[in-house]
Amino acid sequence: MGGGKRGQRPVPPGGGTGSTTRTRAPRAGAARSAAAQASAQAAARKNWFNRQSGLAQTGVVLGGIALAVAGHFFLWYELIPAIGALVGRVPVVSTVTGWLFAGGAFAAWGVVAINEDTARPATVKRLKTTAWSWTAVALLCIPVGRAQTVVLPTDYWAGVFAGAYGIIATPLAIGVVALLWWLFVTKLAGRKGEPTKPQIGWICVAYATLLLVWGSTLLRT
């Protein structure tokens, strides 16, 4: 008697679906929250340029090109000759000053690489800002077109063109350094691996120094 009720389980209020619904709702909300957070993080990782619309990106590129052309002409026809007139009478100062326009950018990146892993983040950020700004000026110093005809004091001219030609020769310099590293470090010394950041930094400083020596001696002859 009453045996037909032994196998029945008590049914919770709401027909047995309330607990499952309450369990699934927080999970769905958490999933949506995680997806939104991941989307926000992905957007935050994009740089300022990639966050712009296509039309805005086109305007930035065209404006950058126009600014670069204007900066090139201003640098070669106004700033470089004016500074040359101030320092042209002192040979050593003249050469070093001319070399700073483009050659100094290599030294700036050398300082960044040497200190990147040891300096404070704020210091590294300032060093990188300086190096990137210097690089922009160095690229404007590439002597194209009428820039070759600008008349400058001899020592000053040698410094300016040593740095400018150094920018042009950068791909060749990288190839030479890679070949020498493979020959002397990998093959002869038997060491594996790529150069460390400090080593790359000192290579940049050495290249900048080589350009200065070139401007001070060979380029003037």
Side-chain angles (χ1 to χ4, degrees), residues 95 158 212-221:
T95 303
L212 179 59
V213 173
W214 183 42
S216 301
T217 55
L218 299 178
L219 193 60
R220 295 171 52 191
T221 59

Side-chain angles (χ1 to χ4, degrees), residues 120-217:
R120 294 179 298 178
T123 302
V124 173
K125 184 177 180 180
R126 288 195 295 267
L127 291 175
K128 286 185 176 180
T129 300
T130 301
W132 277 116
S133 302
W134 212 326
T135 301
V137 175
L139 292 175
L140 296 179
C141 285
I142 295 178
V144 294
R146 292 179 58 192
Q148 295 278 358
T149 65
V150 175
V151 179
L152 301 171
T154 302
D155 299 288
Y156 181 69
W157 171 89
V160 171
F161 274 80
Y165 290 155
I167 294 292
I168 298 174
T170 298
L172 176 61
I174 292 175
V176 171
V177 170
L179 178 61
L180 293 176
W181 182 271
W182 174 81
L183 179 61
F184 290 101
V185 178
T186 304
K187 288 298 181 181
L188 296 182
R191 298 179 182 178
K192 297 182 179 180
E194 298 178 351
T196 62
K197 288 182 180 179
Q199 289 172 334
I200 294 174
W202 285 114
I203 290 172
C204 291
V205 172
Y207 184 59
T209 305
L210 179 64
L211 293 177
L212 179 59
V213 173
W214 183 42
S216 301
T217 55

Side-chain angles (χ1 to χ4, degrees), residues 60-110:
V60 170
V61 171
L62 294 178
I65 294 174
L67 185 62
V69 173
H72 173 79
F73 280 97
F74 171 77
L75 192 68
W76 275 104
Y77 295 103
E78 299 294 335
L79 187 59
I80 288 179
I83 295 178
L86 294 176
V87 300
R89 297 182 180 180
V90 186
V92 176
V93 175
S94 180
T95 303
V96 173
T97 303
W99 164 86
L100 282 173
F101 282 102
F106 294 102
W109 279 112

Side-chain angles (χ1 to χ4, degrees), residues 30-47:
R32 287 194 296 268
S33 177
Q37 185 177 4
S39 178
Q41 291 176 350
R45 284 194 296 267
K46 291 183 178 180
N47 57 37

